[in-house]
Amino acid sequence: MTAANHAGPVAAAGLAVTYQDIVAAAKRLAGVARQTPVLTSGQADRQADASVFFKCENFQRVGAFKFRGAYNAISCLSEEQKQRGVVAFSSGNHAQGMALAARMLGVHATIVMPSNAPAMKLAATREYGAEIILYDREREDREVIAARLSAERGCAVIPAYDHPDVIAGQGTAAKELFDAVGPLDYLFVCTGGGGLLSGCAIAAAHLSPDCIVIGVEPEAGNDVQQSLRSGNIVHIPVPDTIADGAQTQHVGKLVLPILQAYVKDIVTVSDDQLRTQMRFFAERMKIVVEPAGCLAAAAVMHRALAFAGAKVGVIVSGGNVDMALFANSIAAAKAFS
Ligand SMILES: *Cc1c(COP(=O)(O)O)cnc(C)c1O
């Protein structure tokens, strides 16, 4: 393996997001997003055979990093657009991030959610003051609903990952990590649609140019791995995994060129490894982390690469997990031996 394979300023030309966009996003988020803690654990270091720094976005507002991108994207709209409101499609953390960010910025948010979304998530999104429109996943098409809403209301659609201001916002998580702990040898980041990974990779390339950035996705759906290795966006059916935050079917169009420029490779972890990691976080580090939030940590603690003795950063992406699923998962989990 060579050192980080990002091609530097040449590759950066033409990408949708620059490091300056992340700096601008960090200014907008200052005093608004939480500066989440960076935790360490002697037991984690021994298990990984490395010095591991966990950036804990499970402590972010709404319980996941999605608040960063949502707030940055809404902040970047013109006054006229803000008056017309925003719309998002999500049954997960993007819905809650958009709902809270919109309320804080005095913008009307419409969130389109499948009618069979978990009651807990519907309630949380409603609590943050968003208008919820339910649709039938079997019979209705989100694209048609989006087109109707933007025609009727003229509101801006803010996607969960394939948007420059969303990517820049997510990148502030890694910027904070490097600002706190200095350069790293490796950075592991989970990936669904790739908004978090692409933003964090841009921050790494500028703040720690020798850092090797690795994406982590569920074994059940390795579309990002296939996409990065082939250079084409690979589409897959909804992957069958407990990591519901990473069940996306393809990476974003803006995302893939950024991954090609700045990400070394993608590795995968199994649901059993996620359960073991969830248990480790709860038992040893006293934190609640959702399955997708365990992806990057699970890869590191199962020693996905030969990084003995290295300084390794891990983004812990979120902590929103149904308590029954959490209890079942940690009860069924094998501990690290
Ligand atoms: C959205 C989400 C992801 C995946 O993020 P992408 O930007 O789509 O790659 C991972 N973990 C959690 C907790 C999430 O909410």
Side-chain angles (χ1 to χ4, degrees):
M1 245 203 231
T2 58
N5 69 338
H6 59 76
V10 176
L15 295 180
V17 182
T18 67
Y19 179 65
Q20 290 318 311
D21 296 326
I22 296 175
V23 172
K27 289 204 179 105
R28 292 182 197 105
L29 289 168
V32 178
R34 292 211 180 103
Q35 187 132 6
T36 52
V38 178
L39 299 186
T40 58
S41 150
Q43 274 167 317
D45 287 358
R46 281 190 291 282
Q47 177 59 43
D49 194 17
S51 296
V52 187
F53 297 87
F54 298 96
K55 174 68 171 166
C56 290
E57 287 293 296
N58 53 316
F59 292 119
Q60 189 49 266
R61 282 176 182 259
V62 312
F65 70 90
K66 291 286 197 318
F67 176 77
R68 295 175 182 271
Y71 189 93
N72 187 53
I74 300 174
S75 301
C76 290
L77 297 174
S78 68
E79 284 312 311
E80 199 189 329
Q81 284 175 309
K82 283 181 188 159
Q83 272 165 22
R84 289 199 296 253
V86 291
V87 61
F89 295 81
S90 169
S91 54
N93 292 329
H94 181 57
Q96 292 166 57
M98 283 292 293
L100 177 61
R103 189 178 73 186
M104 292 170 76
L105 290 161
V107 172
H108 180 85
T110 307
I111 313 291
V112 183
M113 302 179 86
S115 46
N116 62 353
M120 196 187 74
K121 292 195 167 161
L122 289 171
T125 307
R126 203 167 274 134
E127 238 169 73
Y128 290 124
E131 176 188 354
I132 296 178
I133 294 186
L134 297 176
Y135 77 104
D136 183 341
R137 228 181 211 159
E138 311 294 314
R139 293 187 307 115
E140 288 173 289
D141 183 351
R142 306 179 355 158
E143 308 292 315
V144 174
I145 300 171
R148 197 191 67 217
L149 279 173
S150 66
E152 282 172 8
R153 305 181 177 186
C155 46
V157 180
I158 311 283
Y161 52 86
D162 210 18
H163 187 292
D165 301 328
V166 171
I167 294 170
Q170 320 305 33
T172 62
K175 178 179 184 301
E176 277 176 25
L177 174 60
F178 289 111
D179 288 346
V181 306
L184 294 166
D185 298 314
Y186 289 85
L187 177 65
F188 283 74
V189 185
C190 60
T191 173
L196 180 66
L197 175 59
S198 54
C200 289
I202 294 168
H206 288 77
L207 295 172
S208 183
D210 293 327
C211 180
I212 295 175
V213 180
I214 303 289
V216 186
E217 67 182 336
E219 197 175 81
N222 70 335
D223 62 293
V224 189
Q225 190 179 58
Q226 292 182 54
S227 301
L228 183 61
R229 291 178 183 179
S230 71
N232 299 303
I233 297 178
V234 173
H235 292 246
I236 57 165
V238 177
D240 182 13
T241 166
I242 60 168
D244 57 304
Q247 273 179 318
T248 36
Q249 294 173 259
H250 59 88
V251 290
K253 284 192 199 71
L254 304 180
V255 165
L256 184 58
I258 301 174
L259 304 188
Q260 288 176 305
Y262 297 127
V263 173
K264 177 87 179 170
D265 200 6
I266 309 287
V267 298
T268 62
V269 302
S270 69
D271 279 8
D272 278 345
Q273 291 175 323
L274 292 177
R275 291 189 189 94
T276 295
Q277 190 60 41
M278 242 192 286
R279 173 171 168 177
F280 179 89
F281 276 138
E283 192 169 31
R284 302 295 179 192
M285 294 178 68
K286 319 303 173 191
I287 59 174
V288 174
V289 182
E290 66 182 277
C294 290
L295 282 162
V300 169
M301 293 194 35
H302 288 88
R303 305 187 188 184
L305 299 177
F307 47 58
K311 193 174 167 188
V312 179
V314 166
I315 307 282
V316 177
S317 59
N320 293 323
V321 53
D322 174 78
M323 280 296 115
L325 173 72
F326 181 73
N328 290 337
S329 300
I330 63 174
K334 271 198 343 204
F336 286 106
S337 47

